[in-house]
Every structure is written in C-alpha cells, then in structure tokens.
Amino acid sequence: MATAAAGALGLLEDKQTDQVTLRIIVVGSVDEARRVVDQLQTGASFADLARKVSIDTTADNGGLLGRVSLAALRPDLQSALHGVKAGQITRVVRVPTGYAILKVVPEGEGDGRVVDSSAVPQALSARGSIKYVVEVAGSREAFVSLVQMNKPADWNKEPRSVCRAHKQSLSEGQASLEEDLSPRNAARRFTQPLDVMQLYTSLGQLYAYHGDMGRAIEQFEQARQIALSAAPAAVPQLEETLGVAYLHKAEMTNGLYDHPGDRDLLSANGFAALKVTSDAEQAVRHFSKYLAQKPDELEVRWLLNLAYMMLGTYPGAVPKAQLIPSSAFASADDVGRFVDVAPQIGLNSFAWAGGVIVDDFDNDGRFEIVTSSFDTCAPMHYFHRNAAGRFEERASKTGLADQLGGLNIMQADYNNDGCLDILVLRGGWDLPQRKSLLRNNCDGTFTDVTLESGLARSITSTQTAVWVDINNDGWLDLFVGNENGPAQLFLNKRDGTFEDIAPRAGVDRKAFTKGVTAGDYDNDGWPDLYVSNLGSPSLLYHNNHDGTFTEVGRSAGVPGSGQGFATWFFDYDNDGWPDLFTTSYFTSVDETVRTYLGLPNNATTLKLYRNLGDGTFRDVTRQVGLEKVFMPMGANFGDIDNDGFLDIYLGTGNPSYASLVPSVLLRNREGKAFLDVTASSGTGELHKGHGVAFADLDNDGSDEIVFEVGGITPGDAHAIRLFKNPGHDNAWINLKLVGVKTNRGAVGARIKVTVEDADRGMHAFYRTVGSGGSFGASPLQQHVGLGRAARIVDVEVWWPVSGTRQHFTDVSPNQTLEIREGADTPTRLDRPRLPLGGNGE
C-alpha cells in the first residue's frame, strides 16, 4: 500500500512508492523566483536555469537533488509537491535559504542516485520538524544583490575590487527596492498586496543589514499592516520580526556591541538593566503578541526572557507560562570567573565576523594577535605586544592593512625560514574570491606572494584549510575545503610555489565544506585528513604514503553530523590515540533552547568519536555528555584549568539578529565527561562567535581565550573579547618545538609528557603541534597542563619526518622550553610575566 507521504503526489499514487527524483532551483527573492517560473513555463531548460541562477549547492549539477523520500522533506515542500506529475514544477516555496521551485524528474532523466534522509540539505529537510531561526539581518538580500549585479569578469581577483562590487551591489539593491516602493511606482508595478508586503520586508532587511533599525522597523510595520488584512497567517512571523528588530535596536542604543562589558554574557541572574528601555519594552510587546497566538514556540519564549533580562525585570516580570528558569543555565562545575580585559590592554577592535591568530610573528617571545573580517572592505589588524604588555595596532607598518576581508586566517612557516607566514581565506558564505598568502619577511613586514605561489590560479569560496606535510618531506603542504566545489591539495614544491594535486591524490570531492583538519589517526607516521561538510556526510581520507588518499569515513565510523562545521583531532582522554570532534550546525534557536531545557532535539548533535586504535572510532557523544545542539561556528580547544585534559569553547550564532544564544565553554573532566561551565566562567557571549584561540598571554601558565565576536553585517559588528583565565593551582609546561628535518614550525610533531602525582600516580598527557580547531588559530607553541603537585618524569617528542624520538628527564614544571629536533637538551626560554589586567592586576 502506498505510504501517506506518497499520497502527496498524484504521480506516486500509481507507482506505490514514497520516493521521487527532484531538481531544485533556489533564488534569493520572490520576484526572481517568479521570473524563473515564467521562463520555465515558456520552455526554458530547468537544468540550464539551475546552473545559471540557483544559489543552492546543487546548481552545478543542474539542480539535481536525486531520488528523495518525501518523508525526508519539509512539510511545506511535501505540500507543494501535491498533485505534481513527472515533468511538472511546483509553485514557489519559501525555504530558509531563499525561494525554491522544484521539478519532478521523469524516469530516466536523473542519475538514479537515492539520497539518504541524513544527506538531504538542511534547508529542505524535515528532520523532526526543525524550526529554523527567523531571519532578521538582511544578509541574504545583500548576497542576492551581489549575485544579480553585473560584475567585471575579474572582479574577484583582487580584494579591493571585491570591496567595490559589494558596495555597489548594496547601493543598487537598496535603491531598486526604494524605487519600487515609491508612490509613483508601487501601484503600477506591484498590484498584489502580498508582493508589496514582500517588498517592504526586503527593504526592511536591507536597512537592518546596515544597522539602521529605526527605518527597518518602519518597513516591517508596513508589511505587518498589509498582512493583517491580506495574509493573517504571516502576522505572527512579522510580530517576531518586529520584536527582534526592537531588541537589536535596544542593544545598539545601549552600547552592547561596541562597549559590551559583561552586559551580554549569559548569567543565571540575568543582566544589568539597560539605561534606555523603550525599545526593549516594544520587543516584549511584540513577542507577547506572538506568544498569545503560539504559546509553545521556544524561540520566541527565549527572546522574551532575554528582553526581560535587559529590562532588569527577569525573572519576576516574565509570565509564568513563558518563564525559562535560571536553573536551565546553571554550570555543573565552577572553574572560576574569566574576565574580559581586551579594552584594558589596548586590544581595541570593533569588527564583523572574522578569524583570529595568536602567535609570535616577530620572534620576540611575546604573542601577537592578528584578526581578519568578513567585511570585504575592512583591513586586517595586527596587534603587537610591547614589553610593557600592551597591544599596539601595527597593521599599516606590517603591510597587513592592505589586505581586505577574509573570514578566516591561519599561520604556518611554509618556507622554513623561521618566521610565521599568514594565509587569508575568502569567499566563505559568499561568491568565490581569491586567497592570500602573506610571506613574513622576518623584519616586521609581510609581502603578498599569492600570485607567484600559484594559490591564485583557482578562485573559490572557502573559510577552511589546514597546513600539513602530507608526504613527510619536511615542507608544509596546504589542504583547502571549498563551498560548492572540489577540495584543493596544494603540494609545496620547496621553491615558494605550490601545485594543486587534489585530483590525483583522490581528495577532490565536491561538497559544501566548512571545516578541515589533519591528524595521524592510526599512528603510522603519516597525516590523514578529515573534511566536515554542511549538508552531506563528512569524509576521512587515509594517507596511503604515496601521495594518494583513500576515503574511509563510513567504514571508520566517523560520518559526522550531516551538518558539519568546525572540527579537529585531539586526544581528549589522553590514551595516545587522536580522537575526532566535529560540530553540528543547525540555524535553530529552538534546538538550542531544547538543549538547555532538557527537551528532545530534532537536529543531530555535536559528535565526539573515540579512537579505538584499530583504524576505527566509536561514537561516545552521549557517553561524555555532548549530545547537545548549540549552533557553533568558531571553535577551538585548550586546557582552561591545567588538569591536562583538553576543554572546548564554541562560538555560536548565525547571521540573524534573533540568534542570541550563548557561546559555550565545556570542561573536560578527566576524559570521562564534558561539563558546561559557561555561566560560572562568564564566557557566555550572546552575540556571534567566530575565530577562537587559546593562549597563555601573561606567561603565568594559564590559557586565556581570545574571541573574535561579530556577525556578517555592519549592523552586527562587535568588540573583540579577551577572557583572562582566573588561574588554578595546577602545574604546567610550555613547549616550543623547532623542526630541522621536520618542517620548521614542527607542525605534526607529537609530544608525550609523563608525570607522577599523589592523586593518580604515573600517567601521561599527549599533544600534537598545530593551531587547534578549524576556525581560529592558537599558537604552535604547545601548552600542557600537568595537574596538581605533578612531577615530570619524562618529556618525549616524536618527529614524523626524521622518525626520531627525544627523551628529556629531570625537567621542572612551570616553565617554557624550546626543543630543537635532534638536540641533546632543551633550552629554557625567559618568559617574564606580562600584565593582563583584571582579577586584581
């Protein structure tokens, strides 16, 4: 008998099946969608149009989704497919990524590939009826404006031309909407009330994009007035949209973005009340109207509670039925209060989303902080640490001020000259743009060598890459994960140039990749690669020792969440085998609130895979307490309490101003469980979290957290955070490794520190040299916590290229050592304490 889902299609009632082959086109506006429908109805090829105009990941394949189970699709898509026969198209359907038109493909036209329900793109998937966050930010409207603008053929080859294109497209897009809504044109060109309502909404979104919330609210209110009579079903969403707009306006008016202090950090007691409360009061009014019609909507309940917190009347004034109790935020452990000291020490940055590197670029023994921005017109920042401990902005002196944009950055000594270079990645969540490789000249300046290096030959959209010596020749190669395109593997030719060998290496699969990492998961001395994909299973490439790789993700047991983002290898339980962590990224406040309230999640959770030592992994996510959904973007790991076990910090959010969910600090309790210590630590930043780095910035032996905060619109820029570690009584050691036969930065070298203490006796801690997670870069110098009253028995370093092992005994804790490959003894580095402010300093 046909299933209920099959009954949705007249076509399928004859076939007695619930599967159908589909193509899809997704565009950014309802007007463009209607133009697509007009072209299709007059005979245009669906596949050709998909390749030309679709912004979906299937565009290059003519919009082909494959053979899909109807039950795996969103209910509104199932409804749109009702009665649609082979060869026909659906009406226009609103999906989280835009406006969609689907076509039922006649038998024989598709490739016959059956799409597993877990691989259906997030924006189209039913997956337990996930509720995606309401969109208030205008980022999609801005993107569509750029896509539709006529651009020169070489517009994306230089950062400055990319900047000009973005500015022009925004100006043209806004002017076009304003013209359409002018009194002389609106009645003539747009006679349907719903069309006019959509125009007001789109214009409001573009005003919101720029942070002009007053004008945005005016447009959203116009749309709401039309909806009251013409589209009552749209009224609740517009009430929420207005509530979000007022709440964002309240935050901006009260300085929560440029001078946040602790006013936007998660607290079980709420926040300090805003000085100007009128906009927050309006937010409460609109959220309450929404909840009067839909009282069970968790997203709006959450936002209502936040609005009351900003008014200083939480929890008492919150209606009992809508109250989210403070116990939902309670920390399981107390690791001390981290304090943001960025403004006190000269780390003054107010920026959009971006990457961050913490490392020593001038070899003076002090860490610099380098940041980038999604803003294609914004220069990079280079904060140099002076001898007094303050940061000074030197981007202009270093040449980095000429580098514009870049969602992520990372460091490596690619030419083995002893000075760390910088890679800038561009085009993530955007149209393709070129990367930049910035060579450190070892004199305090950088030179852009992208063209001569060969990295500019293929222009892609990316925010993720990893430096790794794939062939153990002592020179770092570069693996790049791209969005809607094949991955790239650039072999270092040792002469300053690179060659893309991805096709012959077998790692050029096409995906929407958001995170890549490298690690020797089978301890055979050769680095392997992991690829975290959004909307499809992740990939594990095993190194075959001959310049090629074999994909073994499913057989190894590490398919990921299906909605992957940040990822890394780390030895979370200190058993000597690299484990694998990968996040899940669902743009749903509802799912995050479910996590806090202990309700079942509809979305897939974070994933932690324990290495079993036989080439396979076991999913221990539930066992260690990580079966949670947090909406993480930037993320990294470090040891916050020097117990020797690596902890996790997740920067959360998505472009919408409604995505006010706290970033998350998870403490690793001796490899057995991860406990949420966000509220007690004071690290629960509510605004958008991007690049994350852990580093000991005051040389006291405790890792600080450097956190690039801000969204991908000018209206969501935010001050950077530097969370000072309150300190703990545990011992530690910092190890700076210098390669000789291995690459100079020692990336991939393995460290084992064996200690003895009264509590646990003899045990070991393991580290691999690298910059940490895939969104944010920590120093290559490795910080190892040792636990309480620990005596170091042995420090062992294994160098993968030379295959040598060095052992050092009688090493005292609480110091920084330099270990050179092949040296008989380590060198103690003088690292005086540097003031960092806060906690009484």
Side-chain angles (χ1 to χ4, degrees), residues 14 86 139 145 164 199 250 280 341 373 386 388 402-403 451 465-466 475 547 560 568 599 601 649 653 683 801 805:
D14 298 329
S139 56
S145 295
R164 288 193 296 270
L199 286 171
V341 298
S373 176
N386 65 25
D402 294 330
Q403 293 294 325
L451 293 177
V466 62
W475 294 76
W568 57 73
L599 299 174
N601 284 109
Y649 189 62
T683 57
V801 173
R805 294 182 186 272

Side-chain angles (χ1 to χ4, degrees), residues 369-668:
I369 295 177
V370 182
T371 65
S372 64
S373 176
F374 184 82
D375 179 359
T376 58
C377 299
M380 292 176 64
H381 290 289
Y382 181 94
F383 293 97
H384 178 264
R385 195 84 181 275
N386 65 25
R390 287 189 61 81
F391 284 99
E392 302 171 344
E393 228 289 35
R394 291 189 179 178
S396 296
K397 294 180 180 178
T398 62
L400 295 183
D402 294 330
Q403 293 294 325
L404 306 181
L407 186 53
N408 198 12
I409 50 177
M410 55 201 62
Q411 80 278 31
D413 185 358
Y414 80 92
N415 56 359
N416 286 336
D417 65 354
C419 301
L420 290 173
D421 314 294
I422 297 174
L423 176 71
V424 183
L425 299 171
R426 299 187 178 92
W429 305 115
D430 205 342
L431 295 181
Q433 299 161 34
R434 82 156 169 87
K435 314 164 187 67
S436 286
L437 179 61
L438 311 176
R439 186 187 65 215
N440 190 332
N441 299 317
C442 300
D443 62 0
T445 67
F446 293 82
T447 298
D448 189 331
V449 295
T450 313
L451 293 177
E452 50 264 52
S453 73
L455 295 185
R457 291 195 186 102
S458 179
I459 296 177
T460 62
S461 295
T462 183
Q463 69 168 58
T464 185
V466 62
W467 291 98
V468 53
D469 184 359
I470 64 159
N471 55 1
N472 281 338
D473 68 349
W475 294 76
L476 287 174
D477 312 299
L478 179 64
F479 180 62
V480 180
N482 292 310
E483 299 175 4
N484 293 337
Q488 299 165 296
L489 178 57
F490 292 100
L491 185 70
N492 192 328
K493 299 177 71 175
R494 311 189 200 184
D495 60 359
T497 67
F498 294 82
E499 176 190 2
D500 186 0
I501 63 167
R504 72 171 185 258
V507 296
D508 62 336
R509 293 199 186 186
K510 181 179 179 180
F512 198 94
T513 300
K514 297 305 294 181
V516 296
T517 187
D520 181 8
Y521 76 89
D522 54 358
N523 285 346
D524 66 353
W526 296 78
D528 311 295
L529 303 170
Y530 190 71
V531 182
S532 178
N533 297 320
L534 191 67
S536 63
S538 296
L539 306 169
L540 176 62
Y541 289 113
H542 177 260
N543 193 324
N544 298 325
H545 310 177
D546 61 0
T548 69
F549 293 78
T550 299
E551 203 289 303
V552 296
R554 192 169 295 278
S555 61
V558 290
S561 65
Q563 286 297 122
F565 208 140
T567 186
W568 57 73
F569 286 99
F570 71 156
D571 191 351
Y572 85 93
D573 55 357
N574 284 311
D575 67 352
W577 293 89
D579 310 298
L580 183 60
F581 175 77
T582 181
T583 62
S584 66
Y585 186 63
F586 290 86
T587 58
S588 173
V589 172
D590 178 273
E591 292 294 320
T592 298
V593 179
R594 287 176 177 276
T595 293
Y596 282 113
L597 295 179
L599 299 174
N601 284 109
N602 298 311
T604 51
T605 68
L606 306 169
K607 292 294 180 182
L608 179 64
Y609 298 108
R610 183 173 182 268
N611 194 328
L612 300 181
D614 61 358
T616 67
F617 296 76
R618 183 172 71 242
D619 187 340
V620 295
T621 308
R622 177 176 294 182
Q623 177 183 324
V624 300
L626 287 178
E627 200 171 42
K628 303 173 186 296
V629 180
F630 283 128
M631 215 190 309
M633 299 185 295
N636 214 323
F637 60 89
D639 186 356
I640 59 173
D641 53 3
N642 283 341
D643 67 350
F645 291 88
L646 292 167
D647 312 297
I648 296 171
Y649 189 62
L650 305 174
T652 64
N654 95 306
S656 176
Y657 299 157
S659 292
L660 291 169
V661 292
S663 294
V664 181
L665 184 60
L666 298 165
R667 183 188 177 223
N668 183 346

